[in-house]
Amino acid sequence: MHLISEHLRLRNPRFVCRDNQQGTFIVPLRSEVGAPPSRAELRQLKSLSGSEFSALARFYSDFDGARFHVHGHTEGLCVASICSLEALNGEWREVVATMAEFSKPYPFQVSGVAFATIAASGNYFVMYKGRVYYSDHDGGDDAIWGQDLDDFFRRALSDPARFLFEAGCYTRYRDGHSSTQWIPEQFLHDEP
């Protein structure tokens, strides 16, 4: 996907993070993607994703998973590799089952395929009928986070700090010297 390739080529990507007491902290970032999958892995994706295969194949034809905005042990958006999709969906189904004890799940939570998460959030991005939804463990709603996969990645990568904030502000970076949890406020990179 062209948008992801462009994002990976950005020079000196970084977040300006804030903490109400400490001021600002510049977090240098890296992002990484998996190599294109084999034919066998694409067959496995088709088996796991069923009717959502063609929508997900837009990403997985080029990359077998991705980790965006990594610094130390902290990651932002994580797109599962094909071999970890089954486990990711198992985790997500458990969360939805627990939520169903209190409220009726949305259709995307019944029939969708989880493919990504915000690290350490317990929330999942789900492909359903070609659109991307956000399954929030706090109940959430059925708002569409992307009309298709390209639209989703455009939202996630055009303003990553805003995206992470809107996803619940779970991504907190560490400076390695204090217990401060630095919250991304602005994404910057150098011009080519």
Side-chain angles (χ1 to χ4, degrees):
M1 297 181 74
H2 184 67
L3 179 68
I4 294 170
S5 296
E6 283 182 353
H7 191 77
L8 295 171
R9 285 192 297 268
L10 295 176
R11 292 181 52 229
N12 190 23
R14 59 205 182 272
F15 278 137
V16 176
C17 296
R18 293 213 181 277
D19 173 81
N20 290 337
Q21 299 170 356
Q22 304 294 326
T24 62
F25 173 57
I26 305 298
V27 177
L29 301 168
R30 74 179 196 287
S31 295
E32 52 195 43
V33 295
S38 67
R39 288 184 180 169
E41 289 168 323
L42 286 173
R43 284 192 299 274
Q44 181 184 8
L45 174 65
K46 188 169 189 170
S47 172
L48 292 169
S49 61
S51 64
E52 301 304 329
F53 173 73
S54 61
L56 289 171
R58 293 269 308 122
F59 171 83
Y60 286 102
S61 295
D62 295 331
F63 311 110
D64 188 11
R67 296 173 26 186
F68 294 100
H69 311 115
V70 179
H71 175 79
H73 297 292
T74 304
E75 314 174 4
L77 175 64
C78 302
V79 182
S81 63
I82 294 170
C83 71
S84 60
L85 275 174
E86 188 170 9
L88 182 79
N89 277 273
E91 293 168 11
W92 173 57
R93 296 282 177 213
E94 287 179 24
V95 172
V96 170
T98 301
M99 291 169 40
E101 295 174 17
F102 306 102
S103 63
K104 184 177 177 182
Y106 294 104
F108 79 89
Q109 292 174 317
V110 175
S111 302
V113 177
F115 68 94
T117 185
I118 299 293
S121 71
N123 298 332
Y124 302 84
F125 292 99
V126 178
M127 183 64 69
Y128 175 66
K129 294 188 176 182
R131 294 181 171 152
V132 178
Y133 294 82
Y134 189 45
S135 187
D136 184 342
H137 71 275
D138 287 328
D141 56 33
D142 62 347
I144 296 169
W145 280 60
Q147 292 294 333
D148 57 27
L149 214 50
D150 287 334
D151 189 41
F152 170 74
F153 282 115
R154 193 173 303 107
R155 179 178 180 174
L157 301 178
S158 66
D159 189 348
R162 180 178 179 178
F163 176 81
L164 293 171
F165 180 80
E166 290 174 349
C169 201
Y170 294 101
T171 306
R172 312 285 176 96
Y173 293 91
R174 306 262 181 203
D175 58 21
H177 307 291
S178 69
S179 61
T180 303
Q181 296 182 24
W182 297 95
I183 299 171
E185 186 174 85
Q186 183 181 16
F187 179 73
L188 301 172
H189 61 87
D190 294 348
E191 293 301 319

